[in-house]
Amino acid sequence: MKMAMQPVSALFLFLPLLAFGSGDIYIVTVEGEPVVSYNGGVDGFSATAVDLEERMDITSESVTSYALHLEKRHDSLLDSLFEVGTYKKLYSYHHLINGFAIHMSPEQAEVLSKAPGVKYVEKDMKVKKLTTHTPQFLGLPTEVWPTDGGFNRAGEDIVIGFVDSGIYPKHPSFSTHNTEPYGPLPRYRGKCEVDSETKRAFCNGKIIGAQHFAKAAIAAGAFNPLIDFSSPLDGDGHGSHTAAIAAGNNGIPVRMHGHEFGKASGMAPRARIAVYKVLYRLFGGYVSDVVSAIEQAVVDGVDVLNLSVGPNSPLTTAKTTFLNPFDAALLSAVKAGVFVAQAAGNGGPFPKTLVSFSPWITTVAAAIDDRRYKNHLTLGNGKKLLGLGLSPATHGNKSFNLVSANDVMLDSSLMNYNPLDCQRPELLNRNKVEGNILLCGFSFNFVSGTASIKKVSETAKSLGAAGFIVAVENTYPGTKFDPVPVDTPGILIADVSKTKELIDYYNCSTKRDWAGRPISFQATASIADGLAPILHKSAPQVALFSSRGPDVKDFSFQDADVLKPDILAPGDLIWAAWAPNGTDEANYIGEGFAMVSGTSMAAPHISGIAALIRQKNPQWSPSAIKSALMTTASTLDRRDRPILAQQYSENGVMTLVQATPFDYGSGAVDPKAALDPGLILDSTYGDYVKFLCSVPDLDPDEILNITSSACNNTKGQPSDLNTPSITISHLEGTQTVKRTVTNVADSETYIITTRMSPEIALEASPPALTVLSGASREITVTLTVKSVTGGYSFGEILLKGDRGHKVRIPVVTMGFSN
């Protein structure tokens, strides 16, 4: 909530002591610039802000003394308002934003909001997860790693920070046993917590830092140390998975149930991993803890920050999506030179479901890559039913009798336990199941996570079944059916119409007595081998669950002049490391690897590739890296056809449609091209402030409050920001925008062409330009409404260089009549 600042009449307010878990957590920002942007002006404290090319020395006297000065001011403010013991300050923020997180009563929040020097009081909220064949799919081993000395040098001395659920340090993806030793990296200053039980540090050189943040969770009464671990240890699996995708060791065998599913590798296998645990098993996390982790990561000196987390719901008290505490901290991180990749969200395929909004963040959508796992069931009547099942075939490829779990219950009174789920073998008659294929049903318990395919497999195995079938009889909108690796022959029939065929065949072939009890089971079936993947040239495709644009500028969901998502990366059925004690996926409890899906998995692909770009170009800004990724991305699949997106048809059936920039941003990432983009479009912190100042209806005082930067008199348009895309959500008549390109390769001459939907005229000038190495040139882009369609129009500006570089800038607009 934004509140007017008014003086308080009393020095102390005597309010009741807070009980544990009572009250609320608030994020407060106060007057005064944070370390990252302080240019001097306070007596006795020299400037701490540095140019982007420089690394801030957080150990310097100027930084430490000014940070301490801010913290003392926070404490002094609170001491002047409230009695000791009536509140608890959780964190002081002084490097990226100037403020603090505090646990207090709503009445105290009201008082604090009116105190002199207080700019903003925002109630904290929860965050959630946005839940390795891909190096080959992206061409890393053959086209990218060799240029930097091979996989054993890819990402060398680049630090990727993971704000996630922690890490399982004993996993071979993070081991240093079979790798060249990791030397010291003095510029990284993060600490390494020690496991309270084993007394061993979580770090080993590969893992260079490991910390956990839970003060807000503890104050809210949500944290249980017996379940959530008061350490960086991953009790979920999610954090280990994302870290391994970005920076896991190369060539780690993915073995489960005696079968090897290939070898896993991170995008940048020699990059260092810095762990900032903010997510916990049962409740997710809190923004206060996340902001503290982000600040600490930047202070520690990470190069790249991976965020596979997002708010549970919009921060509705902020007037714009771009100025909530989460995005404000990330803006300061970018100012400090840190590249930020964030998962787009898993709210697809519906529009305006993104949880990542700001142009300084690289927002990553999820793609399906070329590897698919299919299986089929052959019935005794000759019909083949397609399904999902990462399992071996039934023994000898023979057929076996089918028995339904409902027909082999030990006691009909056990129906209360939903025996059709096949989660409890003690409910079923082993004598009737043994040697047969057990037919189970898919209930909502599978959706909620209280039932799992893994447990069905264990039930079938313990009863001596020849295999199992899980059949989906009812549709569960939004449910994603993934193949699950099991060691018992098994298959999931996800198509309701195919399930009906299966059940009809079973019922016709099963003889029953007068009471409906089965006398003999004569339906037969065989399950095929589903362990080998099928490679498709139709990849990549935009995954159904991946959140879609357009981006929104406020929480009344008005369209923003920013293209989101920014880029597409693999995020479906991704094999990577898992924590054996992880509880995030019921099908992988106790396992060392997991194959899971989500934009959470897409973001670390981009973080790892960004690490490779930073390794090659250490002086590039975060926006330069983002530009290299976006302008070289592809809008074509492996067949050289336009990328398709999974979508729902009118009757709710999943179908494929041609993707748009609201599905994939600038397109699918191309790591090889991104390492040599030719031209980049760069933006500075000042440019981002100008962008905020140009957003209509945004109060300049609010911008000053959060960025400590004032708006000047020249308003401009949001689309003026020098991003590698152009988005104008409301185009009337003609509008002109400019883009500045900088040559990061040898001098080159580019021919400029445009393509646009017929209802919009798109022109770019000059038609050709020569850009000297290291030089910049300006392009003028003019858009004119020719006819109004009531929807968005899509196009692109293409720059083709005579040395082979191609730079593509997507253009998105909606035309309106004057």
Side-chain angles (χ1 to χ4, degrees):
M1 55 191 168
K2 175 96 190 289
M3 306 178 184
M5 290 183 291
Q6 298 176 10
V8 288
S9 55
L11 238 137
F12 270 96
L13 282 165
F14 293 92
L15 294 167
L17 287 168
L18 279 176
F20 180 80
S22 66
D24 291 303
I25 300 163
Y26 296 85
I27 299 176
V28 182
T29 54
V30 295
E31 290 178 358
E33 295 191 19
V35 169
V36 75
S37 56
Y38 173 59
N39 290 303
V42 178
D43 287 345
F45 299 97
S46 57
T48 54
V50 296
D51 293 333
L52 187 60
E53 289 76 16
E54 300 178 53
R55 275 276 180 179
M56 180 182 293
D57 180 8
I58 65 155
T59 62
S60 68
E61 172 63 25
S62 60
V63 170
T64 54
S65 61
Y66 183 66
L68 183 61
H69 163 71
L70 294 180
E71 186 163 352
K72 286 180 177 178
R73 288 190 60 186
H74 301 163
D75 294 337
S76 176
L77 170 66
L78 293 171
D79 288 345
S80 71
L81 293 174
F82 309 123
E83 184 180 6
V84 174
T86 64
Y87 67 90
K88 184 175 183 180
K89 189 188 74 171
L90 306 175
Y91 298 107
S92 267
Y93 307 127
H94 28 63
H95 283 84
L96 302 185
I97 59 176
N98 180 19
F100 49 88
I102 181 172
H103 184 226
M104 60 184 173
S105 69
E107 294 79 11
Q108 287 173 308
E110 183 73 23
V111 170
L112 182 58
S113 70
K114 297 174 182 177
V118 174
K119 299 196 296 187
Y120 212 85
V121 178
E122 173 89 50
K123 190 174 178 180
D124 198 3
M125 63 176 297
K126 287 185 176 181
V127 294
K128 61 183 177 182
K129 303 178 293 287
L130 302 170
T131 269
T132 329
H133 161 86
T134 45
Q136 286 73 27
F137 177 69
L138 296 172
L140 291 169
T142 57
E143 298 177 346
V144 176
W145 291 343
T147 65
D148 287 316
F151 72 84
N152 57 346
R153 287 288 177 268
E156 186 79 63
D157 289 344
I158 302 298
V159 181
I160 307 177
F162 295 89
V163 178
D164 214 296
S165 68
I167 199 162
Y168 185 71
K170 297 178 183 177
H171 198 281
S173 288
F174 315 123
S175 170
T176 57
H177 292 314
N178 298 313
T179 63
E180 186 177 328
Y182 286 89
L185 194 63
R187 67 174 180 80
Y188 178 77
R189 298 167 294 268
K191 66 179 180 180
C192 192
E193 293 183 17
V194 174
D195 190 311
S196 58
E197 292 187 5
T198 66
K199 306 303 179 185
R200 291 184 178 179
F202 279 82
C203 300
N204 60 4
K206 171 71 173 176
I207 303 171
I208 197 171
Q211 303 171 57
H212 81 289
F213 300 79
K215 289 181 180 178
I218 292 168
F223 187 86
N224 183 340
L226 298 177
I227 297 173
D228 297 312
F229 303 132
S230 299
S231 76
L233 182 64
D234 188 1
D236 181 290
H238 189 270
S240 301
H241 201 268
T242 56
I245 291 171
N249 290 330
N250 180 62
I252 304 301
V254 179
R255 293 193 184 100
M256 285 184 70
H257 311 305
H259 182 79
E260 185 174 309
F261 291 94
K263 289 182 168 57
S265 174
M267 302 295 101
R270 277 293 284 186
R272 311 290 186 106
I273 293 168
V275 177
Y276 300 88
K277 179 179 172 180
V278 297
L279 293 175
Y280 298 88
R281 282 177 167 175
L282 300 180
F283 59 87
Y286 287 82
V287 171
S288 294
D289 291 329
V290 173
V291 171
S292 182
I294 291 169
E295 173 159 298
Q296 190 62 54
V298 174
V299 169
D300 290 346
V302 302
D303 299 289
V304 175
L305 199 57
N306 184 84
L307 291 169
S308 290
V309 301
N312 284 10
S313 56
L315 292 154
T316 52
T317 51
K319 286 189 178 178
T320 174
T321 53
F322 311 127
L323 283 182
N324 61 75
F326 199 85
D327 284 38
L330 293 176
L331 175 57
S332 293
V334 169
K335 182 180 183 181
V338 178
F339 174 88
V340 179
Q342 185 180 18
N346 296 337
F350 309 106
K352 298 186 180 182
T353 49
L354 298 157
V355 298
S356 177
F357 312 102
S358 299
W360 45 88
I361 301 166
T362 301
T363 303
V364 189
I368 298 169
D369 66 16
D370 61 345
R371 184 199 58 211
R372 320 282 164 84
Y373 289 98
K374 301 287 185 183
N375 205 346
H376 67 269
L377 179 73
T378 303
L379 301 180
N381 61 7
K383 286 190 177 180
K384 281 189 177 181
L385 305 182
L386 294 179
L388 301 169
L390 251 85
S391 80
T394 43
H395 183 69
N397 290 318
K398 296 176 184 177
S399 292
F400 295 84
N401 291 103
L402 298 178
V403 295
S404 169
N406 273 350
D407 287 333
V408 295
M409 284 187 298
L410 288 171
D411 186 341
S412 60
S413 66
L414 298 173
M415 283 299 290
N416 290 337
Y417 295 103
N418 205 356
L420 195 57
D421 281 355
C422 299
Q423 301 297 292
R424 299 177 62 174
E426 67 273 16
L427 303 182
L428 305 177
N429 189 330
R430 179 185 177 91
N431 293 332
K432 293 183 178 180
V433 175
E434 191 169 13
N436 297 317
I437 294 176
L438 180 61
L439 177 57
C440 310
F442 185 95
S443 70
F444 185 75
N445 293 337
F446 287 88
V447 180
S448 66
T450 57
S452 69
I453 301 294
K454 177 185 175 75
K455 187 61 180 175
V456 176
S457 174
E458 291 171 353
T459 295
K461 187 174 183 178
S462 70
L463 295 173
F468 69 87
I469 303 166
V470 177
V472 181
E473 291 187 76
N474 301 299
T475 56
Y476 297 92
T479 302
K480 186 176 186 300
F481 298 105
D482 285 344
V484 176
V486 291
D487 59 356
T488 304
I491 190 168
L492 170 73
I493 306 296
D495 187 328
V496 173
S497 65
K498 300 300 181 187
T499 293
K500 186 177 185 307
E501 290 184 39
L502 169 62
I503 293 174
D504 287 346
Y505 166 67
Y506 175 80
N507 287 335
C508 289
S509 306
T510 302
K511 292 185 178 181
R512 300 179 184 274
D513 64 16
W514 63 272
R517 293 181 293 250
I519 299 171
S520 64
F521 301 101
Q522 296 181 8
T524 62
S526 64
I527 300 169
D529 187 335
L531 292 172
I534 301 168
L535 300 182
H536 285 253
K537 287 191 175 181
S538 59
Q541 294 174 356
V542 182
L544 185 71
F545 59 80
S546 186
S547 288
R548 309 299 211 265
D551 193 14
V552 294
K553 63 184 178 183
D554 56 36
F555 296 110
S556 60
F557 290 89
Q558 293 186 64
D559 293 9
D561 288 347
V562 176
L563 178 60
K564 290 288 175 178
D566 292 302
I567 199 160
L568 183 71
D572 185 73
L573 303 181
I574 304 300
W575 278 113
W578 199 249
N581 56 351
T583 58
D584 188 39
E585 294 283 341
N587 288 314
Y588 295 99
I589 292 174
E591 305 293 351
F593 291 91
M595 182 177 64
V596 293
S597 303
T599 52
S600 280
M601 284 67 248
H605 281 90
I606 295 301
S607 295
I609 296 166
L612 299 177
I613 299 173
R614 171 59 61 87
Q615 179 187 15
K616 184 179 179 182
N617 305 283
Q619 297 305 318
W620 278 16
S621 69
S623 63
I625 296 173
K626 178 179 178 180
S627 173
L629 290 162
M630 290 182 65
T631 59
T632 58
S634 175
T635 59
L636 302 177
D637 64 18
R638 285 284 179 93
R639 305 167 300 177
D640 286 329
R641 297 177 186 173
I643 290 175
L644 301 175
Q646 293 184 338
Q647 184 59 264
Y648 284 131
S649 64
E650 290 182 2
N651 58 0
V653 176
M654 199 276 286
T655 186
L656 292 170
V657 299
Q658 185 167 330
T660 75
F662 290 149
D663 301 313
Y664 57 46
S666 56
V669 65
D670 182 341
K672 180 185 178 183
L675 281 169
D676 183 22
L679 303 174
I680 58 167
L681 292 87
D682 211 350
S683 298
T684 65
Y685 179 80
D687 294 330
Y688 291 129
V689 173
K690 288 178 184 176
F691 160 80
L692 290 170
C693 294
S694 70
V695 176
D697 304 320
L698 191 52
D699 185 355
D701 289 337
E702 189 172 5
I703 297 169
L704 178 61
N705 281 346
I706 290 176
T707 66
S708 301
S709 300
C711 297
N712 57 30
N713 294 327
T714 55
K715 186 80 172 173
Q717 299 288 336
S719 55
D720 292 337
L721 181 64
N722 196 46
T723 58
S725 62
I726 296 172
T727 302
I728 303 174
S729 59
H730 192 107
L731 176 65
E732 292 184 11
T734 298
Q735 186 171 328
T736 298
V737 297
K738 297 182 185 298
R739 288 294 182 267
T740 299
V741 295
T742 300
N743 192 349
V744 292
D746 293 333
S747 300
E748 193 165 4
T749 298
Y750 288 84
I751 303 297
I752 304 177
T753 57
T754 63
R755 180 189 61 80
M756 193 70 196
S757 304
E759 61 273 10
I760 303 291
L762 174 65
E763 298 178 2
S765 63
L769 78 171
T770 298
V771 192
L772 301 179
S773 180
S776 299
R777 293 287 302 273
E778 190 174 80
I779 300 170
T780 301
V781 180
T782 305
L783 298 93
T784 303
V785 178
K786 296 169 64 178
S787 61
V788 176
T789 64
Y792 273 97
S793 303
F794 304 103
E796 65 182 16
I797 302 166
L798 185 63
L799 293 82
K800 287 187 176 180
D802 58 5
R803 290 179 174 271
H805 290 107
K806 292 181 181 179
V807 176
R808 196 179 59 83
I809 302 172
V811 179
V812 178
T813 189
M814 186 187 295
F816 292 82
S817 56
N818 286 327

